[in-house]
Amino acid sequence: MAGNRVVRARAKVNLSLRVLGVRADGYHELRTVFQSIALHDTLTFRSARGPLRLDCSDPACPVDGANLVWRAAACVWAAGGRTGEPRDLAIRIEKRIPMQAGLGGGSSDAAAALRVLASMWQVDGARLPDMAASLGADVPYFLEGGTVLGLERGDLLFPLLDIPASWVTLVMPGFGISTKDAFGWWDERRDVGRALSGPPGGPDRVRPAFSNDLEQPVVDHHPEIAQIVKMLQRAGASHAAISGSGSTVFGLFDRKADAERAARAVGRGGRTALVSRTVDRAEYRRR
Ligand code: C5P
């Protein structure tokens, strides 16, 4: 490898996330709109003799086969016809995207690793979407970036017109949420709803165009989320919701000063807040 390769792995928010039902494979059928934001992890790839080495600035982040970057490397290694475990490579992750936050950090890191390693190990880029989908439902989106509609598991992708540039206030409560748990809470709620009101089709179906169907099940378990959404709305956000399965709540603002004021107002009492901005497809591709 000629020198180090350094790439950004950007985060996403879900502008909207509708859960349409449960699939035969246990996943949920989604209609979601992904949006890239500037917040990013940084991955550095360098040659180093011996077995693959992965390390991360955040000690809470796994650095073995439990990390999607490790699994991405194993995928590309095998796709290139190599045998055994990946080797002669060290990958360092500078983590800035909070984990268990609904911002897609682990998936974005994995997609960045797929791209870099496919070029490094001469694997046809046309094979990347399938490899990405095998790693996780959100990973294929991070090969695209910008404003994208995701159907099926969220991995059948249709690029949309980029939304107008916006400032994004991200508020992280002092806890994370596992995606699996959040979908499980949606299942429980749906079952209770059925028992109370019969088959779907009632007034419950009328909802605003931009909404996140995981938000109420998450709020049932973490009421603080609803308070944060309200605080961002009161601070003037044109849209405020959880991202993905949470725990991050985001608000969209036209003006940076308003986004910063909201971050100061909401990011206290055990919460952290930061201000980012949307990134369109062209900027995402420049990486
Ligand atoms: O694909 P990924 O490993 O990121 O998904 C994590 C978990 O989230 C899955 O195991 C599943 O429980 C849930 N999930 C789902 N439907 C989706 C995406 C994720 O049920 N469309």
Side-chain angles (χ1 to χ4, degrees), residues 26-30 107 135-138 152-154 179-180 183:
Y27 269 79
H28 291 73
E29 187 77 7
L30 303 184
S107 299
L135 293 172
D138 277 357
E152 298 191 341
R153 299 186 319 159
T179 305
K180 202 175 162 59
F183 278 104

Side-chain angles (χ1 to χ4, degrees), residues 24 32 123 143 156 223 233:
T32 186
V123 170
L143 296 174
L156 176 62
Q233 285 165 341

Side-chain angles (χ1 to χ4, degrees), residues 4-280:
N4 294 350
R5 290 278 298 269
V6 182
V7 295
R8 287 178 176 182
R10 296 200 189 276
K12 58 84 178 163
V13 292
N14 297 80
L15 296 175
S16 174
L17 193 160
R18 310 305 304 266
V19 185
L20 306 179
V22 186
R23 298 155 49 100
D25 62 6
Y27 269 79
H28 291 73
E29 187 77 7
L30 303 184
R31 190 167 71 223
T32 186
V33 178
F34 296 104
Q35 175 62 52
S36 304
I37 59 174
L39 176 68
H40 61 273
D41 292 342
T42 303
L43 275 69
T44 304
F45 300 78
R46 64 179 177 82
S47 32
R49 287 201 172 280
L52 169 65
R53 279 210 316 262
L54 182 60
D55 79 303
C56 181
S57 57
D58 183 343
C61 176
V63 287
D64 55 12
N67 191 308
L68 279 182
V69 168
W70 207 102
R71 289 172 47 205
C75 254
V76 183
W77 184 261
R82 295 168 175 85
T83 53
E85 306 267 292
R87 54 181 299 109
D88 298 334
L89 174 72
I91 308 174
R92 161 90 182 162
I93 307 172
E94 286 301 328
K95 204 122 198 68
R96 273 186 295 264
I97 307 173
M99 294 191 281
Q100 289 215 312
L103 298 173
S107 299
S108 185
D109 293 349
L114 286 177
R115 269 192 304 103
V116 169
L117 296 177
S119 100
M120 204 181 273
W121 291 336
Q122 278 128 44
V123 170
D124 184 357
R127 299 176 66 183
L128 290 180
D130 282 347
M131 284 190 246
S134 78
L135 293 172
D138 277 357
V139 183
Y141 163 71
F142 290 102
L143 296 174
E144 297 280 333
T147 311
V148 176
L149 172 68
L151 304 182
E152 298 191 341
R153 299 186 319 159
D155 53 359
L156 176 62
L157 301 173
F158 299 89
L160 301 177
L161 272 183
D162 287 302
I163 64 161
S166 298
W167 294 96
V168 185
T169 300
L170 300 166
V171 182
M172 279 70 65
F175 54 85
I177 293 175
S178 116
T179 305
K180 202 175 162 59
D181 287 353
F183 278 104
W185 298 334
W186 183 89
D187 292 341
E188 286 165 18
R189 222 172 173 271
R190 189 185 63 154
D191 293 344
V192 171
R194 269 218 192 107
L196 292 176
S197 62
D204 178 58
R205 293 195 108 186
V206 183
R207 298 194 199 96
F210 262 15
S211 68
N212 186 328
D213 289 342
L214 294 177
E215 190 163 298
Q216 192 55 53
V218 166
V219 164
D220 290 346
H221 290 78
H222 296 287
E224 185 185 347
I225 296 284
Q227 291 165 18
I228 300 173
V229 171
K230 276 215 187 70
M231 288 165 98
L232 284 171
Q233 285 165 341
R234 254 186 256 127
S238 57
H239 175 64
I242 58 164
S243 179
S245 53
S247 58
T248 300
V249 180
F250 71 96
L252 299 183
F253 294 85
D254 290 341
R255 297 188 326 169
K256 187 178 188 184
D258 294 340
E260 287 173 340
R261 196 171 312 115
R264 280 194 299 274
V266 187
R268 55 175 75 166
R271 300 183 285 264
T272 50
L274 55 90
V275 173
S276 188
R277 60 179 174 81
T278 56
V279 163
D280 65 17

